[in-house]
Each structure stands twice: as C-alpha cells, then as structure tokens.
C-alpha cells in the first residue's frame, strides 16, 4: 500500500493566488505541495494562443492589473512589469442636438484636452471640475487604505478612524454609490463612466451596496487605483510565480483534482480524483469557496452570479470610428460603449427580467497599443492588434436555457452594440484563418465555470466584501480563516480577494504562519 505523502501545507488550486500562497510558505521554510486540477497553471490569469494560426498570446480571461501590491512583487522577487496607459478612457456618443458623432476622451492625468472634451460634452467646466474633485478625494483614500490590505483585518470603526477621511468613507462604504454619483455629477454619460467601475463582473443596480464594494476595489489598487497593462500578457505573472515557487521548493502537481478533504485534530488529509492521498497540517484552498463547500459536503455559500461576456479578438488593423478620432487614441485606454448611467440601469433591469439588454454596455481594451510583445514581430509589423471586449450585465441566468444559442445571441448583441460607433464594422477587420473562420472567441459565464471552475462565471469567485470587519466576519483575522482551524481560503473568495492581486494568497500564508 502506498504511503500518504506528508507536507506542512497543501495548497489546492494553481491560480495566481495559490502560487503566491505556496511561494510565501515555502520561502518561510515550509514543505509545500500545490495541487492543480488542470494540466496547466494560471486559472483566470493565463495567456493563450486562442487562434492557433496566429502567433498572438492573448490574456484569455483577466487582462489588466491594478490590485497587485508592489510589496508582493518585491517580496517574491518576480520579474513582472505593468505599463501605464496614457489614455484612461474614451466614450463615443451621438450629439443629441445635431446627430453628430463625438466622444469623451479622458487622459490618465488631467490635461487641457480632457478639459475641452468635458466642456464639449456638457457645455460647461463644472462637470470636469466635479470629476477632478471626486477622483482627487478617492485617490487620497486609496493611498491611505491600500497598505491595510496586507495586514490583519480591522473593524470598520478602527479602519475608518485610521483613514481619517470621514466624508469620503461615508460615500464609498455607507451610501449607495448610485446616489453619490447622481449627487456629484449631472451628465448622464459622465455618471455612467463613473458607475462602470461598480459593475465590472457584478450584477447589481447602482443603488445596491454591492456596486460600492466593486467600485472600491476598482479604485484603490496598490494605492493608486490605476489599471495597467501586464507586460507580455497575464500569463507572464504565472510564469514568474511558478519560477519563484519552484525555486523555493514547492512541489507542483498538475492534473490533480482534489475530490476529498478530511480534517482532524492534527491536520488534513486530501484525496485526488486519480486516487492519490496527501496529508498536511494545513490546507489552503485557492479555488472558489463553493467548490470547497461541495467537496466538504457543506451548503454552498450564497453568491451573486457572474455577469459578463468576455470576447477576445485579433484584428488585422484597428477599425475607424464614426467620430473621426484616431483609433490609436480611442483604443489606447478603456473604450466604453453604451455605458451612460441610464443605459446601465436599463440594461440591469432588462437582464434581470431575463432579456438580453439592447444597446449592451461594453468595455473594450487593446493590449497591443501599449505592449506589442504579445504578438510575433511579423504580426506586429503587419499592423495586427488585439481587442478584448468585456460585456456588462450578461448574467449566467441569461445562458441557462440554451447555452450555445444564448451565447451566439449575446455575442451578436455585443457586436451590434459596438458597431454603432464604428465606420468599419468589427467583422471587417477581424483576422481570418485559412479555413475562413474569424479570429474571435467568446466566453460566457457558463464557459468560465466549465473551463476554469468559476462558479456561475463569477470572476471574483463570490460576492466581494468590504475590506474590513463589519456586521459579518467577526471570526476573521486575515480574512482567510474558515470554521476548520486547519483549512484556509487562499483564493479570490477570501475576504479582500477578488481580482488579480495575490492578496488572498499572501494573507492565507500569513494566517498559517501566525499559527505556528
Ligand atoms: C473574463 C475575466 C476577466 C477578468 N478581468 C480581470 C482583470 O482585468 N483584472 C483583474 O484584476 N481581475 C480580473 N478578473 C478576475 C481575476 O482574474 C480573478 O479574480 C483571479 O484571477 C482569481 O485568482 P485565483 O488564483 O484566486 O483563482 P483562479 O484564477 O480561479 O484559480 C483557481 C484555480 O484552482 C483550481 N481548482 C479549482 N478547484 C480545484 C480542485 N478541486 N482541485 C485542484 N485545483 C482546483 C482551478 O483549476 C484554478 O486553476 C477577470 C476574470 C475573468 C474570468
């Protein structure tokens, strides 16, 4: 009979958080095994050659980085760089009075051109001033709150006191963000551009505090809230984390789907689908908490559904726009489509009642304008570009009836929504494979569940929580603890997890080390 393999800690799940947790523990001298269900590492942080004929390695799922603290990069010594985009966003719109096509271009740092764009849209300087004021306040809160993400959790009262920005705290944590946005801004389009950060991967109306939580995580990352382009694509992060984990002695076991977890007074025993057995003092579960609950035979934690379509495209060139702006400017930042405040609210109501929203709200981003290294030099020289489309308010329930037909319908709706603003329909600039197929791949929330184990396609594994202890979580110290003293959450579903941050992995490792 084979003997069980014995470790100090077993990490289940080789997404970026599992790798971060394993690397921290091994560097602290622990004997660590990491068990990953699939044949490759990365989970939602992978690069893939989605269109095999073309040497383009797209960030297949997650694509921009904001939440990863510099401290984790430095502690682990990973060679991973993110690049600033000079443009924050572009939002095309049709002028109500004369039907002309125009757009709101916002630079990363406030400048004269941005001020003029606000003036042209709203007819006054007031909205631009409101924008600067609002984001100035949030930037200060981001700077003060970010370090707490890698420390033990604090109570709401204590953290609020330490941050010492009571007004900003109130409107971000306590008052519905929709109400705040309506109060601070008067233009429907500007209000919508602000609101989008509360709705990424989150199926909620503007006045639901769930939108506040999502909004907060989108604006405090690494103390700046800036969304940056991962150099070399998202897979580079995983390659580097794997390198440091292996160097620290982590044993990485692929194709090892964990199907049994038993816990006793002295530790845990783990069984895989292929019949391997492992034992350890501690187990760090870096997949979704719903999967842990299933394996343990416990009730599933409550969760909002995932709510986004992800569409990856390779283009032979960028499409021209009806507004006449240079596409290299328009697509340099986040390109918002049909995301005015009223359109976002209408789309939510429509999806909630089971219909695909018309004028589907979308965000697009072009990786290759900032970092062409994900393309072969030949494709780059020929002018090829990548485009990533993230469709909002497309909850998993929209796809349940007939997954393939529904996915085709939502993809069509997304393309029609985008094409409203293009002079060249997007189909006309997609790269074409030799068999005539177009270089476009779509992932519905149900695909995300079957491909990478995100329950109902929820990109944060489950509902985001505020980064402090409030009415829930009184038993938490690092945000990773579970009801079993040998089992920790180390993935996005831990408190303060969610997004490409490594925070959940770091904090779970610290919780284990604190119990030595
Ligand atoms: C389409 C999409 C776009 C996104 N865009 C962004 C973005 O631009 N920026 C951003 O910050 N965030 C983004 N996110 C969110 C972000 O990618 C995730 O929140 C984050 O990557 C989660 O990382 P993780 O390591 O916690 O978990 P995951 O990446 O989900 O990895 C979990 C791993 O556990 C493995 N696993 C699960 N169950 C078992 C088991 N029983 N046994 C063994 N292994 C198991 C899985 O195979 C997987 O490899 C996006 C997500 C998606 C899906």
């Amino acid at each position: 009979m084979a003997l069980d393999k014995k470790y100090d800690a077993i990490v289940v799940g080789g997404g970026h958080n599992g790798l971060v947790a394993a690397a921290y523990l091994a560097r602290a001298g622990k004997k660590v095994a990491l068990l990953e269900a699939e044949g490759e590492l990365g989970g939602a942080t992978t690069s893939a050659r989605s269109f095999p004929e073309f040497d383009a390695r797209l960030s297949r799922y997650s694509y921009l980085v904001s939440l990863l603290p510099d401290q984790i990069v430095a502690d682990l010594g990973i060679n991973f760089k993110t690049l600033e985009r000079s443009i924050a966003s572009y939002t095309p719109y049709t002028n109500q009075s004369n039907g002309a096509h125009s757009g709101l271009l916002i630079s990363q740092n406030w400048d004269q051109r941005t001020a003029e764009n606000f003036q042209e849209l709203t007819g006054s300087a007031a909205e631009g001033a409101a924008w600067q004021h609002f984001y100035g306040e949030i930037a200060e809160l981001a700077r003060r709150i970010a370090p707490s993400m890698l420390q033990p959790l604090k109570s709401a009262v204590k953290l609020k006191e330490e941050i010492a920005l009571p007004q900003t705290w109130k409107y971000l944590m306590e008052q519905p963000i929709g109400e705040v946005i309506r109060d601070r801004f008067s233009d429907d389009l500007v209000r919508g551009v602000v609101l989008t950060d509360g709705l990424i991967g989150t199926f909620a109306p503007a006045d639901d505090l769930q939108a506040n939580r999502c909004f907060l995580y989108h604006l405090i990352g690494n103390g700046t809230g800036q969304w940056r382009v991962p150099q070399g694509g998202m897979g580079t992060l995983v390659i580097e984390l794997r390198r440091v984990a292996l160097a620290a002695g982590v044993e990485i076991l692929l194709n090892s789907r964990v199907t049994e977890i038993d816990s006793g007074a002295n530790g845990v025993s783990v069984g895989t689908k292929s019949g391997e057995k492992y034992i350890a003092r501690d187990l760090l579960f870096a997949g979704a908490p719903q999967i842990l609950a299933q394996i343990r035979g416990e009730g599933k934690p409550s969760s909002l559904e995932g709510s986004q379509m992800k569409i990856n495209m390779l283009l032979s060139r960028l499409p021209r726009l009806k507004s006449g702006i240079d596409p290299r400017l328009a697509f340099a930042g986040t390109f918002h489509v049909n995301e005015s405040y009223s359109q976002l609210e209408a789309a939510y109501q429509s999806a909630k009642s089971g219909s695909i929203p018309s004028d589907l709200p979308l965000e697009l981003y072009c990786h290759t304008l900032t970092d062409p290294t994900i393309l072969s030099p030949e494709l780059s020289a020929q002018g090829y570009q990548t485009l990533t489309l993230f469709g909002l308010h497309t909850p998993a329930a929209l796809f349940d009836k007939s997954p393939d037909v529904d996915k085709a319908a939502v993809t069509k709706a997304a393309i029609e929504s985008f094409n409203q603003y293009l002079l060249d329909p997007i189909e006309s600039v997609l790269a074409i494979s030799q068999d005539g197929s177009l270089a476009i791949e779509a992932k519905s929330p149900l695909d995300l569940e079957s491909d990478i184990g995100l329950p109902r396609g929820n990109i944060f594994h489950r509902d985001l929580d505020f980064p402090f202890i409030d009415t829930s979580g009184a038993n938490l110290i690092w945000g990773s603890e579970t009801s079993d003293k040998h089992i920790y959450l180390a993935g996005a579903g831990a408190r303060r997890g969610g997004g490409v941050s490594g925070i959940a992995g770091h904090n779970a490792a610290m919780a284990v080390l604190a119990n030595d």
Side-chain angles (χ1 to χ4, degrees):
M1 200 175 78
L3 287 177
D4 293 347
K5 295 160 198 107
K6 198 169 170 194
Y7 297 89
D8 295 320
I10 294 172
V11 176
V12 180
H16 81 289
N17 270 315
L19 285 161
V20 167
Y24 269 105
L25 289 176
R27 289 162 69 95
K30 300 283 178 198
K31 186 174 180 213
V32 183
L34 182 149
L35 308 180
E36 165 56 43
E38 303 296 333
E40 59 178 329
L41 296 168
T45 44
T46 48
S47 293
R49 195 163 162 164
S50 301
F51 315 109
E53 264 177 45
F54 299 97
D55 187 358
R57 294 165 309 284
L58 283 81
S59 301
R60 184 168 247 164
Y61 305 108
S62 52
Y63 47 101
L64 287 170
V65 179
S66 167
L67 292 153
L68 177 69
D70 291 342
Q71 188 191 315
I72 292 181
V73 175
D75 284 353
L76 297 182
I78 55 174
N79 181 13
F80 177 67
K81 295 195 174 49
T82 58
L83 307 172
E84 180 173 300
R85 302 180 295 172
S86 59
I87 302 296
S89 70
Y90 179 73
T91 309
Y93 63 89
T94 310
N95 191 305
Q96 300 294 337
S97 52
N98 59 13
H101 288 279
S102 192
L104 176 65
L105 184 72
I106 302 178
S107 299
Q108 197 66 253
N109 301 309
W110 188 265
D111 57 11
Q112 184 59 27
R113 181 177 60 192
T114 305
E116 286 165 9
N117 269 253
F118 270 90
Q119 176 82 32
E120 186 193 329
L121 170 68
T122 63
S124 88
E127 199 78 336
W131 178 280
Q132 285 175 275
H133 193 199
F134 183 67
Y135 284 107
E137 288 174 355
I138 294 175
E140 187 51 33
L141 182 127
R143 200 179 61 75
R144 297 187 194 188
I145 203 171
S148 75
M149 302 291 278
L150 296 178
Q151 298 164 0
L153 278 162
K154 294 178 176 128
S155 69
V157 173
K158 177 110 186 2
L159 189 60
K160 182 176 180 178
E161 198 180 281
E162 278 182 21
I163 301 294
L165 295 167
Q167 287 312 314
T168 316
W169 179 282
K170 186 171 175 5
Y171 71 67
L172 284 180
M173 322 288 182
E174 295 165 6
Q175 197 184 346
I177 195 69
E179 219 174 272
V180 178
I181 291 171
R182 294 193 298 275
D183 184 43
R184 303 286 290 254
F185 300 97
S186 54
D187 183 84
D188 190 37
L189 193 88
V190 174
R191 284 175 172 176
V193 173
V194 179
L195 177 59
T196 54
D197 277 324
L199 302 179
I200 299 296
T202 298
F203 190 52
D207 280 348
D208 188 318
L209 279 183
Q210 198 56 38
N212 288 57
R213 297 181 184 110
C214 181
F215 189 81
L216 184 72
Y217 282 95
H218 278 88
L219 287 156
I220 62 171
N222 211 8
T224 68
Q226 200 186 104
W227 286 87
R228 297 166 67 93
V229 173
Q231 191 171 44
M234 205 54 103
T236 306
L237 175 62
V238 172
I239 290 170
E240 274 298 292
L241 288 173
R242 176 179 176 276
R243 180 181 67 76
V244 296
L246 287 174
V250 175
E251 205 174 312
I252 297 180
L253 298 151
L254 300 176
N255 300 307
S256 301
R257 181 173 298 281
V258 169
T259 51
E260 287 169 42
I261 297 173
D262 290 312
S263 165
N266 298 320
V268 287
S269 74
V270 168
T272 65
K273 198 176 166 193
S274 53
E276 300 293 322
K277 296 276 182 207
Y278 304 89
I279 55 176
R281 191 192 79 164
D282 294 307
L283 180 135
L284 295 86
F285 196 85
Q290 294 90 318
I291 300 175
L292 175 63
Q294 235 159 21
I295 296 172
R296 303 269 292 150
E298 294 163 353
K300 285 188 189 184
S302 70
S303 170
L304 278 184
E305 301 214 310
S307 183
Q308 67 295 311
M309 241 345 242
K310 172 97 193 298
I311 301 181
N312 298 315
M313 295 173 262
L314 179 68
L315 312 179
S316 55
R317 65 174 170 83
L318 289 172
R320 290 170 301 160
L321 287 124
K322 289 182 180 168
S323 65
I325 187 175
D326 179 351
R328 298 181 72 85
L329 261 187
F331 291 107
T334 299
F335 188 100
H336 296 273
V337 175
N338 292 327
E339 290 190 330
S340 73
Y341 189 94
S342 52
Q343 282 172 317
L344 287 166
E345 289 290 79
Y348 172 78
Q349 291 305 336
S350 168
K352 192 169 165 232
S353 69
S355 309
I356 301 171
S358 58
D359 292 341
L360 199 65
L362 316 169
E363 317 225 344
L364 294 107
Y365 126 95
C366 171
H367 185 107
T368 40
L369 280 174
T370 307
D371 170 33
T373 67
I374 63 166
L375 296 179
S376 67
E378 294 75 29
L379 286 184
S380 206
Q382 289 169 55
Y384 280 75
Q385 304 279 356
T386 61
L387 207 57
T388 287
L389 181 154
F390 192 93
L392 276 66
H393 289 337
T394 52
L398 276 187
F399 303 82
D400 281 334
K401 211 162 132 205
S402 181
D404 289 341
V405 175
D406 296 331
K407 183 165 89 169
V410 175
T411 305
K412 183 166 174 279
I415 287 175
E416 281 169 6
S417 184
F418 185 28
N419 278 346
Q420 286 175 49
Y421 301 96
L422 302 182
L423 205 55
D424 306 312
I426 193 66
E427 301 90 316
S428 69
V429 294
L430 287 170
I432 306 174
S433 298
Q434 279 180 6
D435 66 0
S437 58
L438 298 176
I440 177 167
E441 74 167 0
K443 299 282 180 190
S444 73
L446 301 189
D447 292 333
L448 297 178
E449 175 148 23
S450 60
D451 293 0
I452 49 170
L454 300 179
R456 300 293 285 165
N458 193 321
I459 69 170
F460 308 124
H461 289 181
R462 64 179 191 92
D463 308 3
L464 292 169
D465 285 306
F466 282 122
F468 46 76
I469 298 166
D470 45 18
T471 48
S472 66
N475 57 332
L476 296 174
I477 299 170
W478 282 94
S480 336
E481 296 80 4
T482 68
S483 56
D484 188 306
K485 68 175 180 166
H486 293 295
I487 302 179
Y488 297 83
L489 288 179
R495 186 166 292 217
R496 302 183 289 189
V500 179
S501 71
I503 290 171
H506 168 275
N507 289 351
M510 294 307 123
V512 168
L513 294 174
N515 271 345
D516 267 354

